[in-house]
Amino acid sequence: MTVPMRVMISTDEIQAKVKQLGEQINQFYANSDKDLVLIGLLRGSVIFMADLCRTIEKPHELDFMTVSSYGGGTVSSRDVKILKDLDGNIQGKDVLVVEDIIDSGNTLSKVVEMLQTRNPNSIELCTLVSKPSRREIELDVKFLGFEVEDRFIVGYGLDYDQKYRHIPFIGEIGL
Ligand code: IMP
Ligand code: MG
């Protein structure tokens, strides 16, 4: 079944942005002698991470974690739990957390809190998309792709009910 979809960010725009982010990341970590690990939050970050990591020159590890999403829950229910933990150790490493989209900021702020207790050398955030008007918690995002209005978007990893992650652009579903 196909649904009407309005392109918000085209495949070309995404690819150009990923390349740009890769250049920033290469510069940022060029002088660090610590091991670098990219941490992707499953499942939304997978497509972005796959493209992004191929722009990073420095050898690095890829690791993944799944945290519980609070769905449409209220603010008070926004407790984030680890459903699948990292496979590797991050102690003393440069950690780059890769996310598909930051909405309220709750997920990433909890993830950063949890990762900090494991004593990495550094933690930075990279997100493809951000919805600044939805932010409830301030986050220092070092590497940011696109800022978008408060619209529900899918594609390039982003889902609606676990579907549409494979769409090669970012689009709005005509609901
Ligand atoms: P936050 O904790 O509110 O920042 O939520 C971030 C998570 O919400 C993302 O990782 C996505 O899984 C999901 N999300 C937020 N906005 C969208 C959207 O427009 N499309 C698809 N998923 C979204
Ligand atoms: Mg997500």
Side-chain angles (χ1 to χ4, degrees):
M1 195 193 73
T2 47
V3 296
M5 190 122 24
R6 190 180 76 78
V7 178
M8 184 188 265
I9 307 171
S10 71
T11 304
D12 284 353
E13 286 176 287
I14 294 172
Q15 293 312 327
K17 186 65 80 176
V18 169
K19 194 162 168 269
Q20 226 179 58
L21 289 170
E23 284 161 11
Q24 291 171 25
I25 291 168
N26 283 330
Q27 246 182 28
F28 187 82
Y29 291 110
N31 297 321
S32 174
D33 60 354
K34 302 288 193 259
D35 286 339
L36 176 62
V37 53
L38 268 53
I39 294 180
L41 299 187
L42 295 172
R43 293 170 245 178
S45 70
V46 166
I47 311 258
F48 176 40
M49 178 110 147
D51 283 344
L52 184 71
C53 73
R54 283 177 286 179
T55 69
I56 300 177
E57 289 154 6
K58 184 172 182 165
H60 57 276
E61 290 174 60
L62 302 182
D63 209 339
F64 296 92
M65 71 194 295
T66 308
V67 295
S68 57
S69 73
Y70 42 75
T74 56
V75 175
S76 56
S77 71
R78 287 180 178 183
D79 192 22
V80 174
K81 292 199 180 65
I82 297 177
L83 301 182
K84 181 225 167 290
D85 206 340
L86 301 174
D87 288 330
N89 195 327
I90 60 168
Q91 184 165 358
K93 296 179 184 174
D94 287 326
V95 167
L96 179 61
V97 180
V98 178
E99 180 58 308
D100 51 358
I101 185 165
I102 305 177
D103 191 53
S104 69
N106 280 294
T107 308
L108 267 192
S109 83
K110 292 277 167 46
V111 165
V112 168
E113 236 173 70
M114 291 188 283
L115 295 179
Q116 216 111 48
T117 65
R118 302 179 190 188
N119 301 316
N121 181 61
S122 67
I123 303 184
E124 300 297 347
L125 305 179
C126 175
T127 188
L128 183 67
V129 184
S130 171
K131 292 183 189 170
S133 68
R134 299 264 305 167
R135 201 61 39 85
E136 292 171 9
I137 295 181
E138 269 322 302
L139 283 174
D140 179 18
V141 181
K142 193 74 82 197
F143 309 103
L144 166 65
F146 302 96
E147 289 196 331
V148 301
E149 307 271 296
D150 182 13
R151 301 265 166 66
F152 196 82
I153 53 179
V154 297
Y156 200 72
L158 290 158
D159 73 304
Y160 171 64
D161 202 15
Q162 296 304 330
K163 297 192 186 70
Y164 308 113
R165 295 193 195 275
H166 67 289
I167 305 282
F169 55 86
I170 289 177
E172 247 183 288
I173 307 181
L175 295 170

